[in-house]
Amino acid sequence: ERNSMSQAKVSDLLLYPIKGCRGYSVDQATVTPMGLVGDREFAVIKDGERINQKQLSSMMYLSAVWKSAEYLELSFPGTSNFELNCAVSSKQTLGKIQVYGSDLSIQDMGDDVAFWLTERLGAVVRLARTNGAAPWFLPVPEFVSVHGKPQTKFVDAAPILLTNTESLDDLNARLSDELPMNRFRPNIVVDLLEAYKEDSLEIFNFPSLNLERVAICERCTVTTTDQETGEVAKEPLRTLSKYRKRADGYAGGIMFGIYVTAIADGKLANDENHCRLNKADA
């Protein structure tokens, strides 16, 4: 059947204003083909490259929350907060950084926030955002549907990550200690959907937004780090590898969640939006 009348409901919406920082939940979000507005607008730059928790583990403690369209509040445990006026920067263009072999023009956000981040993260870093939309290209055939599409965000593969609470419940039933969803850093969490059914769906028809599946997400070692304590273990990758690994994967093959993109601009609301689902396979 091409059209399924199955339903899914949004149970959580999360933003990560700085790539690699902690996420926070919002009641509603504006969504465009470039992702959730306010999500991954900034990146920490070290030695001329954007970084995340894999390169600098202390980033797991960095929080960034939008207070308005222009003001972002940064916080770090045990220290004073920093209010960043995003409309004001040093106007110093850092030039271009390499992202998957392509040049990306970025804008420095100033010495004050750079000093604040350097002191807290324990490494000499800068904060940057892009200098406008640029064609995105990840050299993996699985992501051909988003190749060349404009992107203003510091995304890895596609603009939005969607996960399913039933899939997490199934995983946790196989673990000795349950893990929270924040290990997987999603933007959209749905429920009322059977475990892993998200893998085979191509369209999520929400009342005010249509999402299209791009690819299954293959997980990295960040999922093995407790986002509260920093403790690193072998789960969930060890267990997922036993039943959620494909031999021909593009990044290790261990699957959890899917990448999606918005077909057009729209909105989502936490606990309000139900969607009709379209299957990928006849």
Side-chain angles (χ1 to χ4, degrees), residues 45 48-50 95-106 130 133-140 146-149 151 153-156:
I45 307 298
E49 297 183 357
R50 63 173 190 164
K96 298 179 183 296
I97 59 171
Q98 285 279 314
V99 179
Y100 300 131
S102 298
D103 287 334
L104 183 67
S105 180
I106 57 176
T130 62
W136 196 250
F137 180 77
L138 176 67
V140 177
V146 293
H147 285 173
K149 291 188 176 181
Q151 185 57 258
K153 302 179 183 298
F154 290 99
V155 301
D156 280 327

Side-chain angles (χ1 to χ4, degrees), residues 4 8 15 25 54-56 74 76 106 114 139 141 147 159 172 176 179 184-185 190 219 242 254 258 276 279:
S4 169
L15 297 180
S25 296
K54 285 187 289 186
Q55 292 82 32
L56 189 61
L74 279 58
F76 198 87
I106 57 176
H147 285 173
N172 278 330
S176 57
L179 301 178
F184 300 99
R185 302 176 60 78
V190 299
R219 311 309 310 213
K242 297 176 182 177
I254 299 176
I258 60 173
R276 181 170 56 84
K279 291 185 176 180

Side-chain angles (χ1 to χ4, degrees), residues 58-79:
S58 57
M59 286 187 65
M60 75 179 70
Y61 302 115
L62 174 65
S63 296
V65 176
W66 289 104
K67 295 303 180 180
S68 70
E70 292 185 352
Y71 285 92
L72 187 68
E73 185 174 64
L74 279 58
S75 60
F76 198 87
T79 186

Side-chain angles (χ1 to χ4, degrees), residues 174-245:
R174 303 165 189 263
L175 299 174
S176 57
D177 296 308
E178 293 188 358
L179 301 178
M181 189 65 86
N182 68 6
R183 288 293 187 96
F184 300 99
R185 302 176 60 78
N187 294 115
I188 301 172
V189 182
V190 299
D191 57 20
L192 306 182
L193 185 65
E194 67 186 69
Y196 312 113
K197 187 175 181 179
E198 63 273 19
D199 294 355
S200 63
L201 299 172
E202 62 177 9
I203 298 290
F204 290 77
N205 293 310
F206 291 98
S208 301
L209 180 72
N210 291 329
L211 296 174
E212 181 178 34
R213 180 171 63 85
V214 175
I216 293 175
C217 181
E218 297 186 8
R219 311 309 310 213
C220 71
T221 56
V222 169
T223 61
T224 64
T225 301
D226 187 311
Q227 294 293 299
E228 301 301 323
T229 67
E231 182 180 356
V232 179
K234 295 183 178 180
E235 298 294 2
L237 295 184
R238 180 171 59 183
T239 294
L240 284 171
S241 68
K242 297 176 182 177
Y243 74 110
R244 294 284 298 164
K245 185 174 183 179

Side-chain angles (χ1 to χ4, degrees), residues 71-168:
Y71 285 92
L72 187 68
E73 185 174 64
L74 279 58
S75 60
F76 198 87
T79 186
S80 59
N81 294 355
F82 184 94
E83 190 175 78
L84 177 66
N85 183 347
C86 301
V88 178
S89 74
S90 68
K91 304 300 181 184
Q92 173 191 0
T93 299
L94 291 180
K96 298 179 183 296
I97 59 171
Q98 285 279 314
V99 179
Y100 300 131
S102 298
D103 287 334
L104 183 67
S105 180
I106 57 176
Q107 180 76 40
D108 185 78
M109 297 307 295
D111 292 339
D112 290 345
V113 68
F115 178 80
W116 188 91
L117 286 168
T118 294
E119 287 288 295
R120 280 127 187 103
L121 297 178
V124 178
V125 297
R126 307 289 298 185
L127 186 69
R129 74 190 314 175
T130 62
N131 269 337
W136 196 250
F137 180 77
L138 176 67
V140 177
E142 192 151 356
F143 293 89
V144 66
S145 64
V146 293
H147 285 173
K149 291 188 176 181
Q151 185 57 258
T152 59
K153 302 179 183 298
F154 290 99
V155 301
D156 280 327
I160 303 168
L161 181 64
L162 182 148
T163 60
N164 175 9
T165 56
E166 292 296 327
S167 300
L168 181 62

